[in-house]
Amino acid sequence: MEYPSLKIGNLTAGKPLIQGGMGVGISLSGLAGAVAKEGGIGIISSAQIGFREPDFETNTKEANLRAIHSEMEAAREKAPEGVIGFNIMVALKYYEEYVREAVKAGADIIISGAGLPVDLPAYTEGSSTKIAPIVSTDKSAKVILKYWDKKYKRTADLVVIEGPQAGGHLGFDLEQLKEYDQTRYEDEIRAILKTVAAYGEKYKVKIPVALAGGIHDAAGVKRAFELGADAVQVASRFVTTWECDADIRFKEAYLNASPEDIQIVKSPVGMPGRAIANPFIRDVMNGERRPPEKCLGCLKNCNPAEIPYCITEALVNSAKGDTANGLIFCGAHAWEAERLETVKEVMDELFS
């Protein structure tokens, strides 16, 4: 099957693939630059992006703002002509500042979820940076596109539909996760596509749609395009690449995982998430509380005295290789990884 290039306004990616943003420290310049070099869209996660900076714990916000520039520069060196952007979560405490800094750093696109990015157009106004909301239901698609239409007289440059098999934070409650089987969610995808097309007609533009969540092989890519998607967003499949920025022990957690190890977990963000079971997750799921050693103010709505654990500490631990005491986010098919591959090998297989 031949796949067309992905056009987002004046941007063109040779391959219709977006590498999903993975924080903390899983998709930085190494992975994003490699994907962009191969013709896809490389995405850097802004979530606590400065965790390796020497002043991260004492000067967290500034360390993150600084790292947005350094990671973008490093990715651009790897792929001077590639399409490179950021995934920035709405739930972050300094969301607006991070978005504006990503624009200054030269982001081609900002993809935003973990909440509805209602004011994203204001934060990118006057720039060439494209904006893309992540939606999981037709209801959320209608809410965000209607809001942007009414308040900002504009629409999305791209829409990412993230399904229930995705990794990390999910845009569904636990009941929805139980209800959505493959057939029912494909009906939801069709409804979202219809909503997006209506706003495209209103603004006389083509709004491409990327389908995400559990896409891990060529069959998944093919099905996404059969449903009407213009691209796919793939994340977990890239974790077990040599170029991925994660510690080798993080990658080995994927390689060693069994289907039973992939579980839905509680997150301090207030959403369910999908992760690999490990001693840390088992303790938390059994009711043990891990109070933060130090609050770094990462989330808007977070009370350190009430949360079961600090998500920054958990994600930083796993990113640095302490996978027994960290949170290892993953997609539903992460357990299928069998070996380390190059980014090129993964992309060639997905589009074979």
Side-chain angles (χ1 to χ4, degrees):
M1 184 174 179
E2 291 292 323
Y3 294 98
S5 57
L6 172 59
K7 297 184 184 300
I8 309 171
N10 62 342
L11 295 177
T12 300
K15 290 185 178 176
L17 177 140
I18 301 165
Q19 160 254 311
M22 296 173 282
V24 171
I26 310 305
S27 64
L28 298 174
S29 58
L31 179 56
V35 171
K37 185 178 179 181
E38 292 300 326
I41 296 180
I43 298 295
I44 299 166
S45 170
S46 74
Q48 301 298 56
I49 189 172
F51 77 104
R52 291 194 181 106
E53 295 289 307
D55 59 344
F56 175 67
E57 292 193 2
T58 58
N59 204 20
T60 306
K61 178 184 171 185
E62 286 69 23
N64 286 333
L65 293 173
R66 203 161 53 241
I68 284 173
H69 286 269
S70 60
E71 292 295 337
M72 185 67 192
E73 289 169 7
R76 186 62 72 196
E77 285 180 12
K78 291 178 173 63
E81 305 301 322
V83 182
I84 302 168
F86 285 85
N87 178 293
I88 306 180
M89 298 194 305
V90 178
L92 295 175
K93 187 172 184 179
Y94 300 109
Y95 175 70
E96 177 181 348
E97 289 92 328
Y98 293 153
V99 169
R100 292 188 184 279
E101 206 67 26
V103 171
K104 290 179 187 175
D108 292 315
I109 186 168
I110 291 173
I111 298 174
S112 203
L116 290 176
V118 289
D119 293 316
L120 184 56
Y123 306 154
T124 59
E125 189 176 6
S127 75
S128 61
T129 302
K130 304 296 186 286
I131 56 174
I134 298 175
V135 300
S136 293
T137 63
D138 187 40
K139 180 180 178 181
S140 59
K142 285 176 175 172
V143 167
I144 192 64
L145 294 177
K146 182 179 180 180
Y147 190 89
W148 286 4
D149 175 36
K150 295 282 187 182
K151 184 170 182 178
Y152 295 107
K153 303 296 186 290
R154 66 157 299 174
T155 193
D157 298 303
L158 166 81
V159 172
V160 177
I161 303 175
E162 195 166 274
Q165 292 192 328
H169 293 116
L170 303 170
F172 306 89
D173 59 35
L174 293 176
E175 286 304 311
Q176 287 176 312
L177 289 174
K178 293 175 184 175
E179 291 173 8
Y180 278 124
D181 57 18
Q182 186 68 20
T183 300
R184 185 170 177 189
Y185 195 68
E186 287 189 357
D187 289 340
E188 193 74 23
I189 290 169
R190 294 185 184 96
I192 297 171
L193 288 168
K194 185 176 179 181
T195 294
V196 174
Y199 280 94
E201 288 175 12
K202 178 172 183 176
Y203 283 89
K204 295 181 172 55
V205 295
K206 164 64 177 174
I207 307 173
V209 175
L211 189 56
I215 297 173
H216 68 107
D217 59 15
V221 173
K222 183 172 182 286
R223 184 59 185 153
F225 278 84
E226 288 172 347
L227 288 167
D230 303 287
V232 291
Q233 179 176 283
V234 178
S236 292
R237 183 68 193 274
F238 286 109
V239 168
T240 50
T241 59
W242 294 102
E243 297 95 333
C244 177
D245 300 273
D247 186 276
I248 184 62
R249 289 164 290 185
F250 188 99
K251 301 176 187 184
E252 287 171 347
Y254 275 52
L255 297 174
N256 296 330
S258 66
E260 295 74 28
D261 291 329
I262 312 300
Q263 298 185 3
I264 300 299
V265 302
K266 300 174 184 176
S267 166
V269 172
M271 303 173 177
R274 180 173 280 108
I276 295 176
N278 60 358
F280 170 80
I281 284 298
R282 293 187 185 99
D283 289 344
V284 170
M285 296 293 280
N286 287 330
E288 182 177 321
R289 183 170 180 267
R290 299 281 187 95
E293 292 182 12
K294 180 180 180 180
C295 180
L296 299 177
C298 58
L299 301 174
K300 288 178 192 171
N301 303 311
C302 177
N303 184 345
E306 297 177 355
I307 57 173
Y309 62 92
C310 173
I311 194 163
T312 288
E313 286 179 3
L315 291 172
V316 168
N317 284 345
S318 60
K320 289 182 175 180
D322 185 5
T323 52
N325 295 295
L327 179 59
I328 310 170
F329 274 148
C330 69
H333 295 278
W335 62 272
E336 296 191 32
E338 296 179 344
R339 64 185 178 89
L340 290 174
E341 305 172 89
T342 65
V343 163
K344 184 180 188 307
E345 286 173 329
V346 170
M347 293 180 69
D348 286 348
E349 195 279 326
L350 288 171
F351 291 104
S352 63

